[in-house]
Amino acid sequence: MDLHVIGPLASPAERAAVDAVLGPPESGWVGGPRRPGVDGHAARGGHAIRSRRSQLLPALHAVQDRVGWISQPALNYISRRLAVPPAEAYGVATFYALFATKPRPPVMAHVCDDIACRVAGAEDTCAALERAIGPEGVAGANGSTGWMRSPCLGLCDRAPAALVTTAGEDGRVASAAPVDAAGVLARLDGGGAPRPPQRIPQQGDPSLRLLRRVGVIDPTSLDDYRAHGGYTALARAIQIGGESVIAEVTASKLMGRGGAAFPTGRKWAAVAAQPAQPHYLVCNADESEPGTFKDRVILEGDPFAIVEAMTIAAVATGASVGFLYIRGEYPEAEAAVRGAVASARAASLLGPDILGSGIAFDIEVRRGAGAYICGEETALFESIEGKRGEPRNKPPFPVEVGLFGKPTVVNNVETLLNIPLILEMGGEAYAGIGTDGSTGPRLFCLSGHVARPGVYEVEFGATLGDLIELAGGVPSGRAIRAILLGGAAGVFVGPDAIAMPLTFEATRAAGATLGSGVIMVFDETVDLVGTLRRIAQFFRDESCGQCVPCRVGSVRQEELLTRLAAGSRVRSRDEELTLLREIGQAMRDASICGLGQTASSAIESALRQPGLVAL
Ligand SMILES: Cc1cc2nc3c(=O)[nH]c(=O)nc-3n(C[C@H](O)[C@H](O)[C@H](O)COP(=O)(O)O)c2cc1C
Ligand code: SF4
Ligand code: FES
């Protein structure tokens, strides 16, 4: 039986979209071509097929961008082109929130209703859109526009935020913030001004090291980047060689800024020492932790710095291929970084012979598709490989068995931003910034009830109060009720914590976390119960579902909070709270990855504080 002729065929538009990514098919079979080693069954399971599968997300994106949703015939066509079993392709397409496998209006507003946008009136926006267009996810009267809720879009400094996707031959994605219902409706009609270029509150401050170029240089210009000190660090890295680069990074005592605070020098040395080849390098720009937007600001404002830093990391670790995995909700940052990669390649700063050194390294930009879990490093590998973003068991660790089973170094965007600085000033001098246990400058994302939300750079050691003061304090002189540190996976602290230094060691000692640098301030007007329920919903929606404690626990946690909030108790309040704590404990102890292990921490931390939450 020839499976290729069953069912309706993909439309010309769907096929054209896929072919634009995978290359034109050869002629000769119904529904699309067989390509030796690509479309043919003979090669299934071979290396060509495995590497081809990693084109699955780009192919799905192509159809989604062109048509607005991914039909079964389109999915079948992609499956055949990539020799991926249709059931697996379906499993992947349905995993990611930005892909639709049922008809979706071609013009869609994804409206953030997450914690910072709630504070800024997102619920009013959603209610107004429901009145104007109709229920969430359904096409309005014109048949071509719709709206749906979204988790944090990484624009919390400009809340409330939305993302508008417009399907078509030149499928477009654009973010808008701050934006109200009228602004969303205007964008759905094709109007509305584009989001202005990124500015930072500290712009022009001569003490800035990491953010010194953001808002100052033209992010599309390699010449401007070079005129502001760019690419001197790479030249030095090539001159001193990989081992010495690792020695400098180790001397700097740089710890990863992606949340796990792992020493970068040690990670790089472990990958460099691996005999297996090739070595891969991944820049983790998935940044989906609610309240986090620093990586977006860096990538939009200083994209060459990350391209240069990745190239230095490649020199150090012997990686020949790099992937920059960026969340699908960051269209402007993605465009900036794609432009920077192309310009660097044209100037031989990427490619087969970087700066005449004989070193070969190139970067491929990969777009995520709406899945917070893909920020977890092994889920991210799975996603690049064309699979559902389900974390792997560790060990083996990525430094030994990572992307495509090869030694892989993964670093966060902010971690990488420190690398040129370390090479410019020397590892030891860098280690003199900050404290003994937390060296260097650090970025924090201030949002919520502060006068000047944004990304702030300070030296490690600044206190929570210093940061809130930098951001102008709480508007209208209202009192602080609670501060969320580290994002939805972090903890709430009270106003009594403002003297706490924001270092790895001080926050650890206080039972808190820096996480991805989130400082979200809530004044006395906040609906904290609603905020906790939104956090619980977030984890329920984002659990990959692979392990029982997290899959079931995150659902039960959300149900319990909803019950407690509604007062409809099937048990006494104390029994419900005990059950909530037990669910949290089970998720912490028995979940495979950090998502399940931290899914209850913010909620429990808020409930621990006497009188903070009225449940
Ligand atoms: C659920 C979950 C989400 C994560 N999301 C991100 C992310 O968006 N960006 C990031 O850099 N690290 C994220 N991490 C941490 C990564 O797994 C990894 O530790 C990090 O990318 C390593 O880079 P670093 O050493 O430079 O910090 C996440 C971890 C978990 C468990
Ligand atoms: S803890 Fe949650 S997100 Fe992590 S693997 Fe298990 S189910 Fe997936
Ligand atoms: S953009 Fe809405 S909460 Fe972050």
Side-chain angles (χ1 to χ4, degrees):
M1 182 173 68
D2 187 349
L3 290 174
H4 301 113
V5 295
I6 292 177
L9 298 180
S11 70
E14 290 167 334
R15 291 175 57 151
V18 175
D19 295 346
V21 173
L22 302 184
E26 290 170 4
S27 60
W29 62 293
V30 179
R34 287 195 179 91
R35 289 154 54 106
V38 175
D39 298 316
H41 292 288
R44 186 170 287 171
H47 175 75
I49 290 296
R50 278 201 302 278
S51 57
R52 197 73 177 162
R53 178 167 179 158
S54 85
Q55 292 302 313
L56 183 51
L57 260 75
L60 292 169
H61 267 304
V63 176
Q64 179 72 43
D65 288 351
R66 179 74 173 260
V67 187
W69 70 289
I70 303 161
S71 70
Q72 191 64 52
L75 205 52
N76 286 346
Y77 183 63
I78 294 172
S79 300
R80 287 178 208 133
R81 291 291 319 271
L82 298 178
V84 175
E88 280 192 37
Y90 180 77
V92 173
T94 51
F95 184 85
Y96 296 90
L98 291 180
F99 296 146
T101 51
K102 297 206 169 61
R104 193 183 262 180
V107 189
M108 198 69 187
H110 303 254
V111 180
C112 178
D113 69 346
D114 217 320
I115 42 183
C117 288
R118 279 175 57 84
V119 165
E123 283 304 323
D124 293 343
T125 304
C126 291
L129 291 175
E130 184 148 5
R131 284 193 298 276
I133 302 176
E136 185 190 357
V138 178
N142 62 12
S144 62
T145 56
W147 73 282
M148 59 193 287
R149 290 170 183 264
S150 166
C152 177
L153 291 169
L155 285 158
C156 327
D157 53 335
R158 297 171 178 207
L163 184 80
V164 177
T165 52
T166 308
E169 228 165 294
D170 62 338
R172 278 171 288 122
V173 186
S175 61
V179 69
D180 58 9
V184 172
L185 289 167
R187 280 169 178 79
L188 285 172
D189 283 343
R195 190 161 60 79
Q198 186 61 48
R199 288 184 57 84
I200 49 166
Q202 292 169 300
Q203 201 157 303
D205 181 338
S207 72
L208 291 181
R209 296 180 175 101
L210 298 177
L211 297 179
R212 65 189 189 276
R213 282 183 291 255
V214 174
V216 174
I217 63 162
D218 171 1
T220 66
S221 166
L222 175 57
D223 288 343
D224 209 8
Y225 177 66
R226 282 182 138 154
H228 287 79
Y231 278 108
T232 51
L234 176 63
R236 174 150 191 259
I238 290 172
Q239 187 207 340
I240 64 177
E243 268 183 43
S244 301
V245 171
I246 292 178
E248 292 285 6
V249 174
T250 306
S252 76
K253 300 201 251 165
L254 173 67
M255 311 266 256
R257 309 298 201 229
F262 191 85
T264 307
R266 210 191 308 159
K267 193 185 279 190
W268 286 19
V271 172
Q274 293 297 318
Q277 294 291 336
H279 294 180
Y280 289 108
L281 169 71
V282 174
C283 171
N284 188 342
D286 196 48
E287 188 167 72
S288 309
E289 181 70 50
T292 316
F293 46 89
K294 64 191 175 67
D295 297 349
R296 175 184 59 75
V297 168
I298 296 165
L299 292 170
E300 286 181 8
D302 198 8
F304 285 103
I306 299 307
V307 175
E308 180 182 6
M310 287 179 72
T311 314
I312 296 169
V315 170
T317 60
S320 52
V321 181
F323 286 89
L324 190 148
Y325 186 98
I326 186 162
R327 68 179 302 203
E329 295 86 345
Y330 279 3
E332 294 85 4
E334 183 189 334
V337 91
R338 282 191 191 276
V341 166
S343 300
R345 199 177 286 138
S348 289
L349 293 161
L350 287 174
D353 182 18
I354 292 170
L355 290 175
S357 64
I359 295 169
F361 175 69
D362 215 323
I363 297 175
E364 190 176 325
V365 178
R366 284 299 183 99
R367 174 156 51 129
Y372 164 69
I373 190 57
C374 288
E376 196 281 336
E377 54 196 9
T378 61
L380 191 157
F381 301 154
E382 295 283 302
S383 185
I384 292 177
E385 291 179 14
K387 300 176 192 151
R388 294 162 67 88
E390 292 174 350
R392 301 173 184 169
N393 276 308
K394 290 188 261 188
F397 292 98
V399 293
E400 290 174 342
V401 182
L403 184 62
F404 301 114
K406 299 296 182 190
T408 304
V409 59
V410 194
N411 277 126
N412 168 259
V413 172
E414 183 189 344
T415 311
L416 287 166
L417 188 63
N418 283 274
I419 298 299
L421 180 64
I422 290 168
L423 285 213
E424 282 155 22
M425 66 189 295
E428 275 190 26
Y430 177 98
I433 305 170
T435 67
D436 264 2
S438 307
T439 61
R442 178 81 218 241
L443 304 182
F444 288 98
C445 310
L446 273 287
S447 65
H449 290 130
V450 287
R452 287 189 300 276
V455 177
Y456 287 86
E457 175 181 331
V458 292
E459 295 189 0
F460 265 117
T463 65
L464 181 52
D466 293 337
L467 263 301
I468 294 174
E469 202 179 307
L470 262 181
V474 178
S476 316
R478 285 193 291 266
I480 294 175
R481 178 129 172 246
I483 303 150
L484 181 61
L485 278 187
V491 297
F492 282 95
V493 294
D496 53 326
I498 57 168
M500 178 167 64
L502 294 176
T503 59
F504 294 118
E505 57 277 19
T507 47
R508 206 177 300 124
T513 173
L514 290 183
S516 48
V518 172
I519 300 177
M520 202 181 288
V521 178
F522 298 99
D523 71 18
E524 55 212 4
T525 63
V526 70
D527 161 24
L528 257 191
V529 174
T531 302
L532 295 189
R533 283 183 58 199
R534 184 64 187 89
I535 290 173
Q537 270 171 23
F538 175 79
F539 285 111
R540 178 200 64 191
D541 295 346
E542 299 296 336
S543 166
C544 83
Q546 184 183 198
C547 62
V548 176
C550 170
R551 182 178 69 231
V552 179
S554 59
V555 174
R556 295 287 171 263
Q557 173 173 263
E558 196 273 333
E559 287 171 356
L560 243 157
L561 275 177
T562 304
R563 275 207 307 273
L564 277 163
S568 59
R569 287 160 196 150
V570 294
R571 294 172 199 83
S572 73
R573 178 181 175 278
D574 283 352
E575 283 170 340
E576 291 276 52
L577 288 174
T578 304
L579 189 54
L580 191 66
R581 278 193 296 273
E582 284 173 4
I583 290 169
Q585 191 66 46
M587 288 197 284
R588 237 181 338 274
D589 290 348
S591 294
I592 289 181
C593 86
L595 187 149
Q597 289 156 10
T598 57
S600 64
S601 71
I603 292 162
E604 289 187 66
S605 68
L607 293 173
R608 264 197 308 271
Q609 295 187 38
L612 183 62
V613 189
L615 270 177

